[in-house]
Amino acid sequence: MEHYKRTATCGQLSAADEGATVTLNGWVHRRRDHGGVQFIDLRDRYGLTQIVVDEDAAGEVKETAAELKFEYCIAVVGTVRSRLNPNPNIPTGEIELKAEKIEILSRCEVLPFMIDEKSDAREDLRLKFRYLDLRSFSMQRKIRLRHDVTFAVREFLNGEGFLEIETPTLIKSTPEGARDFIVPSRLHPGKVYALPQSPQLFKQILMVGGCDRYFQIARCYRDEDARGDRQLEFTQIDLEMSYVSKDDVFAVTEGMMAHIFKKTMNIDLPRPFPRLPYFEALDRFGSDKPELRFGMELQDFASFVSGSGFKVFEGVLESGGVIKALVAPGCAEYSRKQINELEETAKTYGAKGLAWMKVSDSGELDGGIAKFFAPRAQEILSSLEAGPGDLILCVADERHTACTSLGAVRLRLGRNLELIPEGTFNFCWIIDFPLFEWNSDEEKWDPAHHMFTMPQAQYLDTLEKNPGDVRADMYDLVCNGFELASGSIRVHDPEIQKRIFQIVGFSEEEAQNRFGFLLDAFRYGPPPHGGIAPGLDRLVMIMAGENSIREVIAFPKNTVGISPMDESPSPAEPDQYRELHLAAVPVQEKE
Amino acid sequence: MEHYKRTATCGQLSAADEGATVTLNGWVHRRRDHGGVQFIDLRDRYGLTQIVVDEDAAGEVKETAAELKFEYCIAVVGTVRSRLNPNPNIPTGEIELKAEKIEILSRCEVLPFMIDEKSDAREDLRLKFRYLDLRSFSMQRKIRLRHDVTFAVREFLNGEGFLEIETPTLIKSTPEGARDFIVPSRLHPGKVYALPQSPQLFKQILMVGGCDRYFQIARCYRDEDARGDRQLEFTQIDLEMSYVSKDDVFAVTEGMMAHIFKKTMNIDLPRPFPRLPYFEALDRFGSDKPELRFGMELQDFASFVSGSGFKVFEGVLESGGVIKALVAPGCAEYSRKQINELEETAKTYGAKGLAWMKVSDSGELDGGIAKFFAPRAQEILSSLEAGPGDLILCVADERHTACTSLGAVRLRLGRNLELIPEGTFNFCWIIDFPLFEWNSDEEKWDPAHHMFTMPQAQYLDTLEKNPGDVRADMYDLVCNGFELASGSIRVHDPEIQKRIFQIVGFSEEEAQNRFGFLLDAFRYGPPPHGGIAPGLDRLVMIMAGENSIREVIAFPKNTVGISPMDESPSPAEPDQYRELHLAAVPVQEKE
């Protein structure tokens, strides 16, 4: 009962195969009748091939062909011949297959949506019928890209002496790990495992264990409220290296990215990637994940405020704030409504308002706050490199708010004005992050990243004196405005670790409870080490030119953590709880 | 504060580097003083290098060296010079490093056990201090082997057009899935995800989705009682292919194994692997995972029973049983105690006893059941190919019990007699498994493998008539007596699927509840497909010559599912349960 097995794929045949008898297997993509001749476009992952059932074909073949509907899975035996009307748009466009036998391998019910290059079905329907969605060339390209990227990662890191090592995914749950998924143990009632938010502790343990250069394409889990483009489970390219400084981590990461882009897209990434100190990125682009595919940088406007008589700006400067300006080229024509929209964007990031003035054709400042600054128009235009027809936008606030809100306006304008080129990839490193950040609610210092990030050497003596000034040996990799990776050199010196715990008000007991086994390990000759963890989903998303990581995951959950296909999560059976010595507690309407 | 970073590894330097100034980073493996000269063996993952602090070294260097203890992590700057007494046993044995600077990177407390080639520490201590255990060359070799094996798998499958696709690990829990780990959802109180026992349903969905050739090195989970060498999480090389018969799956699997062994151990595996029908394996080796590295096959003894007067054997034959015999070469000297031990082994597998007789030096049958068979001694010896000094062992029982119990005796004898060569790898396929097996408790047919295994074509007409006779399109890959993989051609025809569900007494509702989304998918033109899933842990274990998969997993749980290092699972905090709307139920002392 073996079916006619393919001897070629649907993307393979060309004029060179003319006259050959081949068997194809695939799906009925389209079919049409034309003057008694039946045409079938047969599709598989590799391409499309036109099947023709001639008028003089055997009755059986014609009957079977007439029975075919969309997405029937079939086998066709036939002879390759050249096409009267070649289709130059597809690789097999020169030929067609004259069908001699057709076997229906399976039938297909009425489709919920067409298998098309780009489905316009709403996402939950695509996810429910993911097996149909995946058949499109568009999804197949992304699946293939993801495969190629991971293969390139492994090829490169293997060549660099990294070992891929699997770390456990049933690990210790830490009470403070608010975002841990927990997994009750059947064997040990009352006890639970947690799913890891990342292999962080284990990769550091591997360094203590002498593994020297580790990587893993690792599944990570976060039980957090669905927001934006997060998934409950996601994948990262997790690396850690012993005896390194950040330059070594940068070199490996850049080499890896270059290899990935070369092998999968034949793109040569310029190296080394530029490095931007955190505060410079904030000042110039209003973001710690700057979109560098266009300029239009934020500028400092403070020097024009003194004597302008504009009290708002003067007041902000007096209270230690900053005035940031942005020149929107050719936007002097913007309506009040358009400017209001930009202001809304700024306000989302905490700005109290968005000041503006226009540069008239004759080079005068006009409208908005122009009256305060018109006297120094020449000087301002020259300093900001603005000219006739431009719009000047300003935010006055404390530094972080002024920068990030105007940064958001910059990004919005960049998109509106189509300043961002498609298909280009601009990487940079963000460095010199603060080690601590002030928690004004609790009036204490928090770690800006995590507890194991090394302070830069020059701050070691003054750690306690000026925690806010301390810069960390920490770095982010940014591409096209997305944070792609975060990493650091780790603390391996128990004394420095203790000082950091003290600064953030972390008791020894707390430390032991959360990171006990890592701190224990550090008593046995830990090597200096550091690492990084690029997000795989996001990397492939950026490469594929998509806006959601769900587009590059075979079976994602939707935005509220549900899989419409298998309908998980599903109600627990009382038996399941009972076996785990658990009971459901009714959900209270507001406690 | 950057430390002296290595310019070479501890496994790299040779006579060719003489005179070079290099920096090494690593651990103090051994140290000794010899007439005022201090010797340090410095170790990293790559090897050992001898460091020498000469008598005339700077005071600071000598003092630091004197301070060193086992497993201090250090940096050494020095000059490579040839050794007076080369050590031919290690690659760096020709040279030593004359230390000019020594920097202590971190200190080490008193070790719980020595970092040795093969630790004799008990396993739980090794697991608790896994970071120390991992530093041994023995563990590093296994970690490296596992990396090399997975890399070779990917290299091969990538070359064969397979795409590695990640399937979800938070999936639908099925009430009957007794061995599912469940993961309560915080976002959806009362609902749970399950961790997958394998990607089975998803890989079949991928075939329906047109992915054609899929693989994944996939983490799988089973919440079952600890027994033998199981782990709660384990890894399999999961494959699935569209439009194939079992020969295609065999060819890919054999190619993959050959590539793995060639690339990692430079061993040429003979191909194709032999194929043994299930019942033949049972009859000849007493096992469906036969150890083929030695012969000593089971033989049929039935033909000598008639007329022997041995009632026990006669009775068994009359009631439809079999008599199996095994010739243990040179074991005629075995004591009663030794034979009793073999009998115990047979009884473990259900045999009621182990009959025996010896072949004397003069070729006579002697002892045990010899008196019944002495008259036909010549004929028996010739048929069994037994000779003077041999021991003949027999089990009479129904076929399965007789075969498996004598098979266990065969294996035990093979080990005792050291008939099993080390470092060789004998693969075979077991084919023609029964599709159904009789459940005598419930008096019904159960699927022998899983619901989606295809019956062989020749049984399709008589499926319902003789379920016990139906052979499946199912196969196991066996190596050195271990089941390494299991796979099958899947049912993709809804009609055949329905008939199978009916035979095993599976209602449509049950089917829908457990496999609903796969059955739904099969309504939309599923391609014929099949696959296999070799266990990675076991494969690497066999290759490494180990007896436990814990030896080839970086951070395994112990035999009762506990990780002594991170102390997981750990008691759940009431808060954790509360957030999930769960409550602990006290464990009753026997319900």
Side-chain angles (χ1 to χ4, degrees):
Chain A
M1 210 206 47
E2 233 169 62
H3 67 272
Y4 291 111
K5 285 200 293 185
R6 65 185 168 197
T7 58
T9 72
C10 296
Q12 184 178 344
L13 301 171
S14 69
D17 301 295
E18 244 176 84
T21 296
V22 301
T23 304
L24 299 182
N25 294 164
W27 284 279
V28 175
H29 188 64
R30 297 279 181 271
R31 62 179 308 285
R32 65 190 186 283
D33 289 3
H34 192 72
V37 182
Q38 301 184 61
F39 294 90
I40 300 153
D41 285 343
L42 195 67
R43 192 196 66 241
D44 63 15
R45 171 182 123 191
Y46 311 93
L48 283 171
T49 298
Q50 176 165 294
I51 312 292
V52 186
V53 181
D54 287 338
E55 263 192 294
D56 62 358
E60 202 186 358
V61 178
K62 288 164 80 170
E63 276 163 35
T64 307
E67 209 190 314
L68 299 179
K69 297 198 174 70
F70 286 129
E71 299 304 312
Y72 273 36
C73 187
I74 63 171
V76 182
V77 183
T79 310
V80 182
R81 70 181 180 201
S82 66
R83 259 160 91 159
L84 285 179
N85 303 306
N87 177 350
N89 298 320
I90 59 172
T92 61
E94 288 184 321
I95 57 91
E96 62 190 15
L97 195 69
K98 175 181 158 57
E100 281 139 26
K101 285 176 203 143
I102 298 182
E103 180 185 0
I104 295 178
L105 302 175
S106 68
R107 288 160 211 277
C108 181
E109 298 189 357
V110 175
L111 292 169
F113 50 80
M114 293 296 288
I115 312 298
D116 241 322
E117 180 58 15
K118 192 78 190 178
S119 173
D120 57 1
R122 63 183 172 78
E123 192 180 29
D124 261 21
L125 197 67
R126 286 178 55 205
L127 293 182
K128 181 172 170 56
F129 295 94
R130 192 61 156 184
Y131 37 87
L132 295 176
D133 192 38
L134 285 172
R135 286 188 196 163
S136 67
F137 289 122
S138 144
M139 283 307 298
Q140 283 296 324
R141 255 196 304 274
K142 289 180 270 188
I143 293 277
R144 158 115 238 156
L145 176 63
R146 187 174 176 119
H147 164 83
D148 288 341
V149 168
T150 57
F151 191 73
V153 165
R154 291 186 161 107
E155 200 172 46
F156 178 79
L157 293 175
N158 180 63
E160 295 286 317
F162 284 77
L163 300 181
E164 185 160 24
I165 303 173
E166 292 181 70
T167 55
T169 57
L170 294 171
I171 66 169
K172 185 181 201 274
S173 168
T174 58
E176 293 83 1
R179 301 187 293 185
D180 279 354
F181 275 109
I182 66 166
V183 183
S185 163
R186 187 189 312 259
L187 221 54
H188 304 279
K191 295 191 174 182
V192 296
Y193 302 96
L195 300 178
Q197 293 179 32
S198 85
Q200 184 66 34
L201 299 185
F202 284 93
K203 73 175 171 175
Q204 294 194 239
I205 288 280
L206 285 172
M207 294 305 106
V208 182
C211 294
D212 206 283
R213 305 189 127 203
Y214 142 94
F215 84 102
Q216 184 182 197
I217 298 189
R219 202 71 63 89
C220 306
Y221 302 85
R222 270 181 214 172
D223 188 10
E224 51 188 15
D225 291 351
R227 57 189 162 102
D229 195 24
R230 302 267 179 110
Q231 285 282 306
L232 303 179
E233 52 181 317
F234 57 97
T235 304
Q236 70 189 30
I237 306 167
D238 198 49
L239 332 168
E240 197 77 6
M241 307 161 72
S242 290
Y243 309 118
V244 292
S245 65
K246 76 173 184 313
D247 291 331
D248 302 293
V249 179
F250 286 14
V252 160
T253 309
E254 293 180 4
M256 179 172 80
M257 289 296 162
H259 184 77
I260 293 169
F261 276 77
K262 187 65 186 173
K263 286 307 264 291
T264 63
M265 304 180 86
N266 198 28
I267 288 174
D268 291 295
L269 293 183
R271 281 185 288 165
F273 299 163
R275 301 178 186 190
L276 273 175
Y278 171 79
F279 285 108
E280 185 182 334
L282 202 61
D283 281 335
R284 291 173 55 194
F285 302 97
S287 172
D288 60 358
K289 38 181 200 276
E291 167 63 87
L292 299 182
R293 282 179 298 176
F294 70 109
M296 218 171 95
E297 298 188 12
L298 312 193
Q299 304 190 57
D300 197 71
F301 198 74
S303 59
F304 306 110
V305 171
S306 167
S308 68
F310 187 33
K311 296 288 179 218
V312 180
F313 281 15
E314 285 170 2
V316 167
L317 285 181
E318 273 160 29
S319 64
V322 302
I323 321 291
K324 302 297 292 186
L326 182 67
V327 177
C331 295
E333 304 287 305
Y334 265 31
S335 66
R336 189 66 221 198
K337 180 161 171 287
Q338 283 173 299
I339 294 175
N340 281 349
E341 281 168 8
L342 297 176
E343 185 165 34
E344 282 313 307
T345 298
K347 284 181 171 172
T348 308
Y349 286 78
K352 287 167 209 73
L354 182 67
W356 60 273
M357 48 194 173
K358 294 174 171 179
V359 187
S360 71
D361 288 347
S362 55
E364 304 293 312
L365 291 176
D366 198 19
I369 58 172
K371 61 180 170 187
F372 300 107
F373 301 101
R376 297 174 73 182
Q378 274 313 97
E379 203 187 332
I380 288 171
L381 297 190
S382 149
S383 164
L384 301 183
E385 296 186 37
D390 291 349
L391 173 68
I392 298 172
L393 301 162
C394 294
V395 175
D397 216 309
E398 56 83 23
R399 185 184 191 178
H400 193 264
T401 305
C403 291
T404 54
S405 58
L406 200 55
V409 171
R410 168 183 177 269
L411 207 54
R412 179 160 182 169
L413 276 168
R415 288 187 193 126
N416 288 354
L417 301 173
E418 295 179 359
L419 299 177
I420 305 174
E422 298 272 315
T424 60
F425 303 91
N426 282 39
F427 283 89
C428 73
W429 293 103
I430 307 296
I431 57 173
D432 296 343
F433 282 87
L435 183 63
F436 302 106
E437 61 188 17
W438 183 245
N439 181 332
S440 47
D441 292 345
E442 300 182 31
E443 301 229 309
K444 64 181 275 290
W445 292 104
D446 280 343
H449 186 218
H450 64 51
M451 301 285 185
F452 303 105
T453 301
M454 192 71 169
Q456 292 182 10
Q458 65 270 32
Y459 298 97
L460 274 182
D461 292 338
T462 56
L463 222 52
E464 290 79 4
K465 217 166 123 192
N466 299 309
D469 289 347
V470 178
R471 300 284 174 270
D473 246 345
M474 176 190 155
Y475 33 81
D476 275 2
L477 179 62
V478 171
C479 178
N480 291 2
F482 288 98
E483 182 197 314
L484 206 57
S486 204
S488 64
I489 301 301
R490 326 296 181 185
V491 179
H492 70 280
D493 178 334
E495 286 310 309
I496 299 177
Q497 190 66 66
K498 262 186 207 160
R499 291 169 64 193
I500 292 174
F501 284 153
Q502 260 164 10
I503 291 170
V504 303
F506 213 60
S507 73
E508 292 218 359
E509 193 195 338
E510 252 176 304
Q512 195 61 32
N513 197 7
R514 282 188 68 170
F515 314 117
F517 68 102
L518 184 60
L519 299 178
D520 288 347
F522 280 0
R523 291 154 51 198
Y524 296 94
H529 59 287
I532 192 165
L536 177 66
D537 307 298
R538 196 169 270 176
L539 172 62
V540 179
M541 177 194 87
I542 294 170
M543 295 177 74
E546 291 287 354
N547 293 313
S548 160
I549 60 171
R550 294 187 297 279
E551 288 295 327
V552 296
I553 295 173
F555 301 103
K557 305 285 185 287
N558 68 13
T559 52
V560 291
I562 290 171
S563 166
M565 186 177 79
D566 67 359
E567 294 176 321
S568 64
S570 57
E573 298 284 314
D575 269 359
Q576 288 181 304
Y577 281 157
R578 194 156 45 233
E579 283 184 340
L580 298 167
H581 299 277
L582 288 174
V585 174
V587 180
Q588 305 277 321
E589 306 283 327
K590 273 266 178 279
E591 302 187 359
Chain B
M1 212 207 48
E2 233 170 60
H3 67 270
Y4 291 110
K5 286 201 293 185
R6 65 183 168 197
T7 57
T9 71
C10 297
Q12 184 177 344
L13 301 172
S14 69
D17 300 295
E18 243 177 85
T21 297
V22 302
T23 303
L24 298 182
N25 294 162
W27 282 279
V28 175
H29 188 63
R30 296 277 183 272
R31 63 179 306 287
R32 65 189 188 284
D33 290 2
H34 192 73
V37 182
Q38 301 184 59
F39 295 90
I40 300 153
D41 284 343
L42 195 67
R43 191 197 66 242
D44 64 13
R45 172 182 122 188
Y46 311 93
L48 283 172
T49 300
Q50 176 163 297
I51 312 292
V52 186
V53 181
D54 286 337
E55 263 193 294
D56 63 359
E60 204 184 356
V61 179
K62 287 163 78 170
E63 276 163 35
T64 309
E67 213 189 313
L68 300 178
K69 297 197 172 71
F70 286 130
E71 298 305 311
Y72 273 36
C73 187
I74 64 172
V76 182
V77 183
T79 310
V80 182
R81 70 181 180 200
S82 67
R83 259 158 91 159
L84 284 179
N85 302 308
N87 177 351
N89 299 320
I90 61 173
T92 63
E94 287 184 321
I95 56 91
E96 62 190 13
L97 196 67
K98 176 182 155 58
E100 280 139 27
K101 284 175 204 142
I102 297 180
E103 182 186 359
I104 295 177
L105 301 175
S106 69
R107 288 160 212 277
C108 181
E109 296 187 0
V110 175
L111 294 168
F113 50 78
M114 293 297 288
I115 312 298
D116 241 324
E117 181 56 14
K118 193 80 188 175
S119 173
D120 57 2
R122 63 188 173 77
E123 192 178 30
D124 261 19
L125 196 67
R126 286 178 56 204
L127 292 182
K128 180 171 171 58
F129 295 95
R130 192 61 155 183
Y131 37 86
L132 296 177
D133 192 38
L134 284 172
R135 285 189 197 162
S136 66
F137 289 120
S138 142
M139 283 307 297
Q140 284 296 324
R141 254 196 306 272
K142 289 179 269 188
I143 293 277
R144 158 115 240 158
L145 176 64
R146 187 175 175 118
H147 163 84
D148 288 341
V149 168
T150 57
F151 191 74
V153 166
R154 291 184 162 107
E155 201 173 46
F156 177 80
L157 293 175
N158 180 63
E160 295 286 317
F162 284 78
L163 300 180
E164 185 161 22
I165 304 173
E166 292 181 69
T167 55
T169 57
L170 294 172
I171 66 169
K172 185 180 200 279
S173 169
T174 57
E176 293 83 3
R179 301 186 293 184
D180 278 352
F181 275 108
I182 66 165
V183 184
S185 163
R186 187 190 313 260
L187 223 54
H188 304 280
K191 295 191 172 179
V192 296
Y193 302 97
L195 300 178
Q197 293 179 32
S198 86
Q200 184 67 32
L201 299 186
F202 285 92
K203 72 174 173 176
Q204 294 194 241
I205 287 279
L206 285 171
M207 294 305 104
V208 182
C211 294
D212 206 282
R213 305 190 127 202
Y214 142 92
F215 84 102
Q216 185 182 197
I217 298 190
R219 202 72 62 89
C220 306
Y221 302 85
R222 270 181 213 173
D223 189 10
E224 51 188 13
D225 291 351
R227 58 190 160 104
D229 194 26
R230 302 265 178 112
Q231 286 281 307
L232 303 178
E233 51 182 319
F234 57 96
T235 304
Q236 69 188 32
I237 306 166
D238 198 49
L239 333 169
E240 196 78 4
M241 307 162 72
S242 290
Y243 310 117
V244 293
S245 65
K246 77 172 184 309
D247 291 331
D248 303 291
V249 179
F250 285 13
V252 161
T253 309
E254 293 179 4
M256 179 172 81
M257 289 297 162
H259 185 76
I260 293 169
F261 276 78
K262 185 67 186 171
K263 285 306 265 287
T264 64
M265 303 181 88
N266 198 27
I267 288 175
D268 292 295
L269 292 183
R271 281 185 287 164
F273 299 162
R275 301 179 185 189
L276 274 175
Y278 170 79
F279 284 107
E280 184 183 335
L282 201 61
D283 280 338
R284 289 174 54 196
F285 303 96
S287 172
D288 59 0
K289 36 183 201 278
E291 166 65 84
L292 298 182
R293 284 180 295 176
F294 70 106
M296 219 172 92
E297 299 187 12
L298 313 192
Q299 303 189 58
D300 197 71
F301 198 76
S303 59
F304 306 109
V305 170
S306 167
S308 67
F310 188 32
K311 297 286 178 220
V312 180
F313 280 14
E314 285 170 1
V316 166
L317 284 182
E318 274 159 29
S319 64
V322 301
I323 320 292
K324 302 296 291 187
L326 182 67
V327 177
C331 294
E333 302 289 304
Y334 265 29
S335 65
R336 188 68 220 200
K337 181 160 171 286
Q338 283 172 302
I339 294 175
N340 281 349
E341 280 167 9
L342 296 176
E343 185 165 37
E344 282 315 305
T345 299
K347 284 181 170 173
T348 309
Y349 286 77
K352 287 169 208 71
L354 182 66
W356 60 273
M357 49 194 172
K358 295 175 172 179
V359 187
S360 69
D361 288 346
S362 56
E364 303 294 312
L365 291 176
D366 198 20
I369 57 171
K371 62 180 170 187
F372 300 108
F373 301 101
R376 295 174 72 182
Q378 273 313 96
E379 203 186 331
I380 289 172
L381 296 191
S382 150
S383 163
L384 301 183
E385 295 185 38
D390 292 348
L391 173 68
I392 299 173
L393 301 162
C394 294
V395 174
D397 214 311
E398 56 83 23
R399 185 184 191 178
H400 193 264
T401 304
C403 291
T404 55
S405 58
L406 199 57
V409 171
R410 168 184 178 268
L411 207 54
R412 179 162 182 167
L413 276 168
R415 289 190 191 122
N416 289 355
L417 301 174
E418 293 177 1
L419 299 178
I420 306 174
E422 298 272 315
T424 59
F425 303 92
N426 283 41
F427 283 89
C428 73
W429 292 104
I430 306 296
I431 57 173
D432 296 343
F433 281 87
L435 183 63
F436 302 106
E437 61 187 18
W438 183 247
N439 180 333
S440 47
D441 291 344
E442 300 181 32
E443 301 229 311
K444 65 183 273 293
W445 291 103
D446 281 343
H449 185 219
H450 63 52
M451 301 284 185
F452 303 105
T453 301
M454 193 75 168
Q456 292 182 9
Q458 66 269 33
Y459 299 97
L460 274 181
D461 292 339
T462 55
L463 224 49
E464 290 80 3
K465 215 167 123 191
N466 300 308
D469 289 347
V470 178
R471 300 284 174 267
D473 245 345
M474 177 192 154
Y475 32 82
D476 276 1
L477 179 62
V478 170
C479 177
N480 291 2
F482 289 98
E483 181 196 314
L484 207 55
S486 203
S488 65
I489 301 302
R490 327 296 183 186
V491 179
H492 71 281
D493 178 334
E495 286 312 308
I496 298 177
Q497 190 68 67
K498 260 185 208 158
R499 291 169 63 193
I500 291 175
F501 283 153
Q502 259 163 12
I503 291 169
V504 302
F506 212 59
S507 73
E508 291 218 1
E509 193 194 337
E510 251 175 305
Q512 196 61 32
N513 197 7
R514 281 187 68 168
F515 313 116
F517 68 103
L518 183 60
L519 298 178
D520 287 348
F522 280 180
R523 291 153 52 197
Y524 296 95
H529 59 287
I532 192 166
L536 177 65
D537 307 297
R538 196 170 270 177
L539 172 63
V540 179
M541 177 194 88
I542 293 170
M543 294 177 75
E546 291 287 355
N547 293 313
S548 161
I549 62 171
R550 293 188 298 278
E551 288 296 324
V552 296
I553 295 173
F555 301 103
K557 305 283 186 287
N558 67 15
T559 50
V560 290
I562 289 172
S563 164
M565 187 178 76
D566 67 359
E567 294 175 321
S568 64
S570 56
E573 297 284 312
D575 268 0
Q576 290 181 304
Y577 282 159
R578 193 155 47 231
E579 285 184 341
L580 297 167
H581 299 277
L582 287 175
V585 175
V587 180
Q588 305 277 321
E589 305 284 326
K590 275 266 179 271
E591 302 186 358

